[in-house]
Amino acid sequence: MLILTGDIGGTNARVAIAEITQHTTSLYNEANFATADFSGPLDIVAHSIATAGIQPELISLGIAGPVRNQVGTATNLSWSFNARELEQHLNLPNVYILNDLEAIAWGISRLVPEDYLELHAGQPDPEGNISVIAIGTGLGKAGICRHTDQFHPFATEGGHADFAPATELEWELFKYLQQNYPHVSWERIVSGTGIPHILEFLVQYREGVLSQALQSGLAQGGGASLIAAAAKTCPLCAETMELFVSMFGREVGNHALNIMATGGIYLAGGIAPKILSQLQNPNFLATIAAKGRLHAIVHNMPVRVILNDQVALRGAALAGMAALAM
Amino acid sequence: MLILTGDIGGTNARVAIAEITQHTTSLYNEANFATADFSGPLDIVAHSIATAGIQPELISLGIAGPVRNQVGTATNLSWSFNARELEQHLNLPNVYILNDLEAIAWGISRLVPEDYLELHAGQPDPEGNISVIAIGTGLGKAGICRHTDQFHPFATEGGHADFAPATELEWELFKYLQQNYPHVSWERIVSGTGIPHILEFLVQYREGVLSQALQSGLAQGGGASLIAAAAKTCPLCAETMELFVSMFGREVGNHALNIMATGGIYLAGGIAPKILSQLQNPNFLATIAAKGRLHAIVHNMPVRVILNDQVALRGAALAGMAALAM
């Protein structure tokens, strides 16, 4: 079966042709593009088909936003994807849409050890739920409900739950963001768009100044990656990343409790593999498990960082095939 | 089949004999007792059997705490329930242990309209997940994972996730509690034990004084119910309940996003039915849905208050029977 699989985030979109067998998921002809270059869902899907150079029997797209009844809204793009409308407009038989984090969760069923880095072995419950938390443009969260031998990934929108400041500095950060956002969610801080928010706040709070090079890089749209890279030379960038990693750890622990992820915690998204040394610092694991009387429960959960950036593309293909088979 | 079903909370325990048919769950000979009168799990289970006056074929107990591999710890009692050990010590064939919120979630499958009050009809997704949030001694949270026609309840420990202060007053409350609890979870505030914490804080923060009658009532162990009842005459108690309801609403919305409860939100536990007028105030629903860009998603979720306090007893019996059948 010719499957076109896609991962449409707030900033970048990726597509590939997927081949799925009982045990393997292979991808070919992967292509990347910037969502800003497209006018909307129809445009990006038509371009994806042209890029792949195939007439797919199934298109399965993970999108960064909530999906219901095969209609999804990409939160950071405000684009609405309607699978039935896309099928009609493109004259294609099967378009399937799912949340991008749900796609990653589907991909977890096929991970091999080379695909991830284990930060903590823990004591996994083989029938326990699994949590997935990913930092891309936004903060994505998914769960995998396990029951005897079943494995049911589901999307959540927990990135939009209330941010929980826990220090005076974080409370000041909260108030700073509240000036622009009446609802300050975790995504406003612990995400690719959140990292620049932390830096902006620290510059004002510490009355600091960024170098001209950094200022112009940020003005040209350089965001989280630029700040992470600048941490060696820019003390405010270093403090930004330190604060970010600490808050990320706390929220990883929160999500793990909310899903009861005794089967394991998976960290995904583009930023985690770029800051592995900070995640490998024992402080990060300690922060995840610092949940008072529930410390031992969280401490027993394995923690893994997904390094293979094709997991969402593979997972979208798996989910689309499963949906076709139902 | 003779089933002894139990609901063991942090303060009270209840047992009954359950009769389950394909469509009905009936309870007989219900008994209540205070956990403080017992020395431990064996004691309370032996007493439950004696109270029921039967030799049960199945004992199924919902307990307020995490359960793994049929061993559970009641968080607010620090008692450890081990199903296999209880079977041996009591010479009984089948003891089943599950989290109390998971028991409530099982009970939701058999709710009839008389069992609940619908605060908001919403636009339920018939295949969407369901969230359950209950205030008893602690703050309990569960999820129900739905997938086509399947219905899988699961316990969570999300009550121990980080509290998210959102106003100056809540930030002061957070700092006040941090003096006694290094980790300030939602359960420290939004729970039966949390309501007295809010009042203590307000008394100090507002430099107020409680009446002698109220002070002695609280000293004698009168907690959340006493404060709720005193709200008409005691301004600090009224402010406590107002603050409590507002924070409860925010956390209901957070849990709904974390579980992606497009199938519905259920409020349970002993306190919700006692404060129905506050929950029926449109402010409460508005607070639940105040999640920024995700407002419409949460607003579409139905919100129901479970009024039938036997739902956990019924659900524990259903879960125990399901486990026996596997």
Side-chain angles (χ1 to χ4, degrees), chain B:
Chain B
M1 168 177 263
L2 270 174
I3 305 175
L4 177 76
T5 180
D7 179 16
I8 300 179
T11 311
N12 298 302
R14 297 165 67 199
V15 296
I17 300 165
E19 185 181 290
I20 294 183
T21 69
Q22 206 181 342
H23 299 292
T24 63
T25 47
S26 309
L27 298 180
Y28 305 98
N29 294 27
E30 197 182 316
N32 297 267
F33 29 88
T35 49
D37 294 342
F38 298 87
S39 62
L42 188 62
D43 192 15
I44 206 163
V45 177
H47 180 82
S48 303
I49 299 167
T51 305
I54 60 164
Q55 192 65 12
E57 294 160 78
L58 167 67
I59 298 187
S60 190
L61 304 175
I63 68 160
V67 176
R68 179 168 171 173
N69 295 330
Q70 286 299 296
V71 180
T73 308
T75 308
N76 286 294
L77 291 171
S78 299
W79 286 0
S80 181
F81 291 75
N82 181 321
R84 296 297 86 79
E85 280 180 22
L86 289 169
E87 285 168 355
Q88 280 179 9
H89 287 302
L90 298 161
N91 196 25
L92 283 168
N94 299 300
V95 175
Y96 185 73
I97 290 169
L98 75 162
N99 171 270
D100 60 340
L101 262 285
E102 187 179 342
I104 293 175
W106 274 91
I108 282 173
S109 66
R110 297 275 184 116
L111 288 183
V112 294
E114 304 87 89
D115 290 331
Y116 58 83
L117 175 75
E118 188 159 83
L119 294 182
H120 177 59
Q123 301 275 346
D125 175 353
E127 287 200 7
N129 290 346
I130 289 170
S131 71
V132 191
I133 187 162
I135 294 184
T137 306
L139 172 63
K141 296 189 197 170
I144 300 173
C145 184
R146 291 207 290 181
H147 183 75
T148 62
D149 58 348
Q150 295 169 359
F151 184 97
H152 297 307
F154 62 94
T156 88
E157 290 296 334
H160 298 271
D162 303 353
F163 169 61
T167 64
E168 287 288 349
L169 188 65
E170 291 175 13
W171 177 245
E172 293 297 329
L173 169 61
F174 173 86
K175 287 193 290 183
Y176 174 82
L177 288 174
Q178 221 179 14
Q179 294 164 20
N180 293 317
Y181 305 107
H183 176 243
V184 181
S185 66
W186 279 99
E187 174 163 301
R188 294 297 185 191
I189 295 164
V190 178
S191 69
T193 51
I195 290 173
H197 288 155
I198 303 172
L199 178 61
E200 279 163 30
F201 158 71
L202 285 175
V203 167
Q204 179 182 299
Y205 185 74
R206 304 261 183 241
E207 297 178 0
V209 180
L210 300 177
S211 71
Q212 282 298 333
L214 195 55
Q215 285 186 43
S216 63
L218 290 170
Q220 283 161 37
S225 301
L226 185 64
I227 297 165
K232 280 180 193 160
T233 52
C234 158
L236 286 171
C237 297
E239 188 179 3
T240 296
M241 293 311 295
E242 202 178 303
L243 200 50
F244 165 77
V245 169
S246 158
M247 293 188 287
F248 180 35
R250 284 222 320 282
E251 179 59 345
V252 168
N254 289 333
H255 185 47
L257 286 172
N258 282 319
I259 299 293
M260 196 58 172
T262 54
I265 295 169
Y266 286 84
L267 312 183
I271 290 173
K274 292 185 187 129
I275 55 168
L276 281 183
S277 63
Q278 281 116 304
L279 304 185
Q280 285 178 298
N281 184 318
N283 285 342
F284 182 66
L285 287 177
T287 304
I288 293 174
K291 297 300 181 197
R293 291 170 293 167
L294 274 286
H295 177 273
I297 300 276
V298 182
H299 182 70
N300 276 337
M301 299 175 181
V303 183
R304 294 170 171 180
V305 183
I306 298 177
L307 301 176
N308 186 322
D309 69 356
Q310 295 184 322
V311 64
L313 288 172
R314 290 188 201 165
L318 287 164
M321 275 191 73
L324 261 193
M326 293 226 298

Side-chain angles (χ1 to χ4, degrees), chain A residues 68 76 123 129 141 145 147 150 152 154 156-157 162 168 175 187 250 254 257-258 291 293, chain B residues 68 76 123 129 141 145 150 152 154 156-157 162 168 175 187 250 254 257-258 291 293:
Chain A
R68 179 168 171 173
N76 286 293
Q123 301 275 347
N129 290 346
K141 295 189 199 172
C145 184
H147 183 76
Q150 295 169 359
H152 296 307
F154 62 94
T156 88
E157 290 296 333
D162 303 352
E168 287 288 348
K175 288 193 290 184
E187 174 162 301
R250 284 223 319 281
N254 289 333
L257 286 172
N258 282 319
K291 297 301 181 196
R293 291 171 294 167
Chain B
R68 179 168 171 173
N76 286 294
Q123 301 275 346
N129 290 346
K141 296 189 197 170
C145 184
Q150 295 169 359
H152 297 307
F154 62 94
T156 88
E157 290 296 334
D162 303 353
E168 287 288 349
K175 287 193 290 183
E187 174 163 301
R250 284 222 320 282
N254 289 333
L257 286 172
N258 282 319
K291 297 300 181 197
R293 291 170 293 167

Side-chain angles (χ1 to χ4, degrees), chain A residues 105-187:
Chain A
W106 275 91
I108 282 172
S109 66
R110 298 275 183 116
L111 289 183
V112 294
E114 304 88 88
D115 291 331
Y116 58 82
L117 175 74
E118 189 159 84
L119 294 181
H120 178 58
Q123 301 275 347
D125 175 354
E127 287 200 8
N129 290 346
I130 289 171
S131 71
V132 191
I133 187 162
I135 295 184
T137 304
L139 172 63
K141 295 189 199 172
I144 300 173
C145 184
R146 290 207 290 181
H147 183 76
T148 61
D149 58 348
Q150 295 169 359
F151 183 97
H152 296 307
F154 62 94
T156 88
E157 290 296 333
H160 299 271
D162 303 352
F163 169 61
T167 63
E168 287 288 348
L169 188 65
E170 291 175 13
W171 176 245
E172 294 297 328
L173 169 61
F174 173 86
K175 288 193 290 184
Y176 173 82
L177 288 174
Q178 221 179 14
Q179 294 163 21
N180 293 316
Y181 305 107
H183 176 243
V184 181
S185 67
W186 280 98
E187 174 162 301

Side-chain angles (χ1 to χ4, degrees), chain A:
Chain A
M1 167 176 262
L2 271 175
I3 306 175
L4 178 76
T5 180
D7 179 16
I8 299 179
T11 312
N12 298 301
R14 297 165 67 197
V15 296
I17 300 167
E19 185 180 290
I20 294 182
T21 70
Q22 205 182 343
H23 299 293
T24 63
T25 46
S26 308
L27 299 179
Y28 305 99
N29 294 25
E30 197 183 315
N32 297 266
F33 29 87
T35 49
D37 294 341
F38 298 87
S39 61
L42 188 63
D43 192 16
I44 206 164
V45 176
H47 181 83
S48 302
I49 298 168
T51 305
I54 60 163
Q55 192 63 12
E57 294 160 78
L58 167 66
I59 298 187
S60 190
L61 303 175
I63 69 160
V67 176
R68 179 168 171 173
N69 295 331
Q70 286 300 295
V71 180
T73 308
T75 308
N76 286 293
L77 291 171
S78 299
W79 287 359
S80 182
F81 290 76
N82 182 320
R84 297 295 87 79
E85 280 180 22
L86 289 169
E87 286 169 356
Q88 281 178 8
H89 286 301
L90 298 161
N91 196 26
L92 283 169
N94 299 299
V95 175
Y96 185 73
I97 290 169
L98 75 161
N99 171 269
D100 59 341
L101 261 285
E102 187 179 342
I104 293 175
W106 275 91
I108 282 172
S109 66
R110 298 275 183 116
L111 289 183
V112 294
E114 304 88 88
D115 291 331
Y116 58 82
L117 175 74
E118 189 159 84
L119 294 181
H120 178 58
Q123 301 275 347
D125 175 354
E127 287 200 8
N129 290 346
I130 289 171
S131 71
V132 191
I133 187 162
I135 295 184
T137 304
L139 172 63
K141 295 189 199 172
I144 300 173
C145 184
R146 290 207 290 181
H147 183 76
T148 61
D149 58 348
Q150 295 169 359
F151 183 97
H152 296 307
F154 62 94
T156 88
E157 290 296 333
H160 299 271
D162 303 352
F163 169 61
T167 63
E168 287 288 348
L169 188 65
E170 291 175 13
W171 176 245
E172 294 297 328
L173 169 61
F174 173 86
K175 288 193 290 184
Y176 173 82
L177 288 174
Q178 221 179 14
Q179 294 163 21
N180 293 316
Y181 305 107
H183 176 243
V184 181
S185 67
W186 280 98
E187 174 162 301
R188 294 298 185 190
I189 294 164
V190 178
S191 69
T193 51
I195 291 173
H197 289 155
I198 304 172
L199 179 60
E200 280 162 30
F201 158 72
L202 285 175
V203 168
Q204 179 181 298
Y205 185 73
R206 303 260 183 242
E207 299 179 0
V209 180
L210 300 177
S211 71
Q212 282 297 333
L214 195 55
Q215 285 186 42
S216 63
L218 291 170
Q220 283 160 37
S225 301
L226 185 65
I227 297 166
K232 280 180 192 160
T233 53
C234 158
L236 286 170
C237 298
E239 188 179 3
T240 295
M241 293 310 296
E242 203 178 301
L243 201 50
F244 165 77
V245 169
S246 159
M247 293 188 288
F248 180 35
R250 284 223 319 281
E251 179 59 345
V252 168
N254 289 333
H255 185 47
L257 286 172
N258 282 319
I259 299 292
M260 196 58 171
T262 54
I265 295 169
Y266 286 84
L267 312 182
I271 291 174
K274 292 184 186 129
I275 55 168
L276 283 182
S277 63
Q278 280 116 304
L279 304 185
Q280 286 177 300
N281 184 317
N283 285 342
F284 181 66
L285 286 177
T287 304
I288 293 174
K291 297 301 181 196
R293 291 171 294 167
L294 273 286
H295 177 274
I297 300 278
V298 182
H299 182 70
N300 276 337
M301 299 175 181
V303 183
R304 293 169 172 181
V305 183
I306 298 177
L307 302 176
N308 187 323
D309 69 357
Q310 294 184 323
V311 65
L313 288 171
R314 290 188 201 164
L318 287 165
M321 276 192 70
L324 262 192
M326 294 224 300

